[in-house]
Every structure is written in C-alpha cells, then in structure tokens.
Amino acid sequence: MLITDAELPDGRVRDVRAEDGRIADIAENLHSLPNEESVDATGLTLLPGAIDVHVHFREPGHEQKETWATGSRSAAAGGVTTVVDQPNTSPPTVDRERFDQKEAFAKNSLVNYGINGGVNADWKPDELLECPLFALGEVFLADSTGDMGIDAERFEAALAHAGEAAVPVTVHAEDADRFDESALEGNTGGTGRDADADCWSQYRTAEAEIAAVEDACEVARGAGANLHIAHTSTPEAVDIASDAGVSCEVTPHHLLLSRDDLDDLGTFGRMNPPLRTEGRRQALYERVADGTVDMIATDHAPHTVTEKETDLESAPSGVPGVETMLPLLLQEVREERLTLDRVCELVSEGPAERFGLDRKGRVVEGYDADLTLVDLDETEEIEGEALHSKCGWSPFEGREAVFPEITVVGGAVVYDGRAGDRFTAGLGENVRRNQ
C-alpha cells in the first residue's frame, strides 16, 4: 500500500509505503509499484492508529448489546486499530477454556485485539496465565459487580501470580464499603432521561475511588506488581497513582462530561465510576493535558436503549465510546485545548509503550502499519444512530467531532469513510500472539 501526500503530526508532508503489514518507507515522491493499492491523502493528516485498552465487546453472553464484529467496526470507524477486551462477559474469562472461547469470537474482529483475563472465585491462575493475555483485569476491587468482585486477600494473591508470570494487572478501583447508601434513598424516581441520575454520583463517592486507588498502589508496591488503574475519574486518584509510579487511564466521558450533564442524560449517564463534579472534571482535564495521565481509554460498555430506559437502580452501568474517542479528542485539538502531539501520546504512543506493544503507536519505519487518516478541517455532529456500535446511542449526542476518513490495519484499508462507510475484511490479530 502507498499513501501519498499525507501530512504527518510533525507537519511534514510525505508518502508512506506499507509492506507485509509494516511501514517500509516514509519519504517524498515515492512511486507506486505495479498492482499496489494507492491512497491519495492530499489534505489529510496521517496519525498512528489509536489503541483502546479498555472495551467491553460483550461476546460471549450479551450479543444483543455488542459483538466482536459490530464493536470492531465501530472501532475502525473511530480510528481505533487495537482494542483490549475485558473479562466480565458471560461466562467470564477466568480460565483457558473461556479464553479460547472468547478468542474464537475475537477472530471476527476488523482490528487488532488483546484479551484480559479475570479474577473471581472460579479463576484458575496457573491455567489462565499460560494464555497470551494482554493483562489480568479488569480486576474489580470490592466493587459491587456481581461475581467479578474480589476481596483484599484474593487481590494480593492475584498480584503475586501475575507478577510471577510477568503479566500486568488492570484494576477497577472502587471501595464498596465507602458507598453512600443514603444517596439512593433520595432518588426522586423517573426513568431513562427523566431519572435523577445524580444520585448515582452521590452513591458511588469520589472517596470510594480515591481510597481504593491508594490501597491498590500500596499492595502493589509491596508485591512489586505491574499495576495499571482503569478509568480514573478523580484528580486525587490520578495524583496518587502518579506519585506511586503506577499508570492510569481516563475515559472520554470523565474527561468531557460531569454531573452537570446528568439532567439531560438520566440513566444514560449511569456508569462506574460515576460522573464527578464539574470542578473535578476540570482538574482531571488539566492532568490529561499536562502529561500526568498516561492514556485515554474508553471503557466502551454498550447497552441497548431499552435496557437503559428504566429506573436508575435497575439500569445497567456503562456507555459506548470506542468510535467517538479519537474524534472528540481531535475536536479538542481544533479548539486548542489539547495539542495533536498530546492526543497521539494519549491514544497511541502511551498505551503502546505502557503495555509493551513495541511496534505500535507511532508513524515510524519498521512499525506496524496501523494508521488513520483524518481531515482536521471537517467536523460533524455525533449521531448515536449513525454510529456502528450495536447499541445505537451515544452520551455525546450532538457534539462536534472529527471522524476519520480512512483506517488502516496491518497495511490494509479496513474502513473508508469517503466510500460511504465501506468496511473490508478484517486483519485483526491477537497482539500478544504477534509479539
């Protein structure tokens, strides 16, 4: 494949050739070879494909919400070329049999993928850790999430096993003992977008996250474990992780939405951790902009509209986001709140470096040809029904965003927005089998 006249993030205009799945040449005036696919990128900016280390593609068990086929199409249309799926599917990914089952579904993916193993009362550490896991996680700390929550003793054991196997541990850090049950007693009722969803933010307190992150970092320090904190929603938690030398991610919804948005979102804004105050959101944004936060990841957690249109306590937690992450961040670049270099660090270079994806995350010769082409002068409003996730809605409805024109995985175009949202057969591979 030859991409001609593309502007790189550093402002240079170059041609880029991909061969055998990798970037072979970056130069001026490269000539097309016989039978070589060519993409005219005049006026477009060429970025490294985004790496989303936190998605829930729901398969197996909840295919009405999402599948690997629909989730990966959504990823590709959003410029995401690698995703990492979490273990709390049904059945959860806690042993080799369930890992193999999930990987069989993942082979339908248009984009590259990793699979996180999980920890619960049924997990088989020796068996699971022999699999090519991306990480052990999302490990739920005393978090009221059904059969995936674990206590401190089991968490320490998981860290020890993972450390011996040189597997990172991704932690969902909320301390359920610090939830404020009285907040739900004040729920004024209502369903869907008319529900009083702010009660959920009052219930799952900021202190519950802050304390859990502090405890997780302390235990990991004692165990010498390789720890990563998922979806940090408070600036205090980010600071604790940073001071401990532990990496963390922030979601687009915690970065761009706050409790002020819950009047419009209702149950569609229920998530774990919940949205925080506008003051905390702004402080979180500052840490994203200044380099304290290591990466952005979506916690893409789709549910159907019908599932969300119920009362607050019955509605499932989570929002979709894999298709809108990069487009929303590029709009932040347009509005001069983030630099393009910083966005590339957050969604490409940062996750690749943190999780040992040595050939991903940069537009450099010898790196994997996982790329996305965008027109930074073209914006469009987000419409949930026009997105490619099976759930058909977005918490960012109506916001301006910069969507990719073309997405390339392994040197092949998998999504072409200029050709009417055309998808081609996926070349997705397990990134841990491909190291």
Side-chain angles (χ1 to χ4, degrees), residues 230-246:
H231 45 50
T232 41
S233 66
T234 62
E236 297 93 335
V238 169
D239 291 344
I240 291 167
S242 179
D243 290 345
V246 169

Side-chain angles (χ1 to χ4, degrees), residues 251-272:
T251 69
H253 45 271
H254 291 121
L255 180 67
L256 300 174
L257 299 172
S258 73
R259 288 168 63 176
D260 291 355
D261 296 289
L262 288 171
D263 282 346
D264 294 326
L265 290 170
T267 57
F268 290 84
R270 176 182 147 163
M271 61 196 67
N272 302 332

Side-chain angles (χ1 to χ4, degrees), residues 385-403:
E385 292 184 352
L387 300 177
H388 299 84
S389 171
K390 199 169 185 178
C391 72
W393 63 275
S394 169
F396 299 106
E397 188 78 25
R399 292 209 179 199
E400 291 291 321
V402 179
F403 283 89

Side-chain angles (χ1 to χ4, degrees), residues 304-343:
T304 68
V305 170
T306 300
E307 290 168 333
K308 279 288 196 177
E309 285 185 332
T310 184
D311 64 272
L312 181 64
E313 294 187 54
S314 301
S317 290
V319 299
V322 70
E323 190 168 343
T324 53
M325 172 180 69
L326 180 61
L328 285 165
L329 292 175
L330 293 177
Q331 182 64 18
E332 295 299 292
V333 173
R334 283 177 50 82
E335 296 180 9
E336 300 184 349
R337 288 190 283 265
L338 292 173
T339 67
L340 188 58
D341 283 345
R342 182 63 182 138
V343 169

Side-chain angles (χ1 to χ4, degrees), residues 136-196:
L136 192 63
E138 182 180 359
V139 175
F140 296 92
L141 290 185
D143 171 41
S144 52
T145 50
D147 65 357
M148 293 303 292
I150 59 172
D151 57 21
E153 182 178 354
R154 191 169 292 275
F155 176 56
E156 291 185 31
L159 286 177
H161 283 293
E164 291 174 3
V167 172
V169 180
T170 298
V171 174
H172 178 136
E174 286 185 283
D175 183 351
D177 290 338
R178 294 174 182 266
F179 292 171
D180 183 1
E181 299 287 346
S182 67
L184 296 181
E185 297 173 4
N187 185 6
T188 58
T191 60
R193 295 187 184 277
D194 294 326
D196 179 12

Side-chain angles (χ1 to χ4, degrees), residues 22-167:
R22 297 193 190 178
I23 299 171
D25 295 292
I26 301 176
E28 291 186 87
N29 302 317
L30 294 174
H31 297 291
S32 181
L33 302 174
N35 302 317
E36 182 175 44
E37 181 181 10
S38 182
V39 175
D40 180 3
T42 303
L44 302 181
T45 300
L46 181 65
L47 304 176
I51 300 168
D52 187 349
V53 299
H54 194 142
V55 305
H56 298 265
F57 277 178
R58 304 300 190 196
E59 194 174 29
H62 298 286
E63 291 83 357
Q64 81 279 10
K65 304 173 190 282
E66 195 77 282
T67 66
W68 277 93
T70 60
S72 66
R73 284 166 66 95
S74 192
V80 174
T81 55
T82 299
V83 297
V84 178
D85 192 65
Q86 302 303 325
N88 58 329
T89 40
S90 183
T93 313
V94 294
D95 58 31
R96 174 175 289 278
E97 179 182 359
R98 294 171 181 182
F99 178 92
D100 291 344
Q101 179 188 26
K102 179 172 284 189
E103 188 168 30
F105 288 114
K107 289 178 180 178
N108 293 317
S109 179
L110 271 72
V111 301
N112 297 314
Y113 60 88
I115 297 175
N116 275 358
V119 182
N120 68 7
D122 298 325
W123 85 302
K124 301 174 183 177
D126 294 337
E127 183 178 313
L128 181 64
L129 292 171
E130 291 174 355
C131 299
L133 292 178
F134 190 85
L136 192 63
E138 182 180 359
V139 175
F140 296 92
L141 290 185
D143 171 41
S144 52
T145 50
D147 65 357
M148 293 303 292
I150 59 172
D151 57 21
E153 182 178 354
R154 191 169 292 275
F155 176 56
E156 291 185 31
L159 286 177
H161 283 293
E164 291 174 3
V167 172

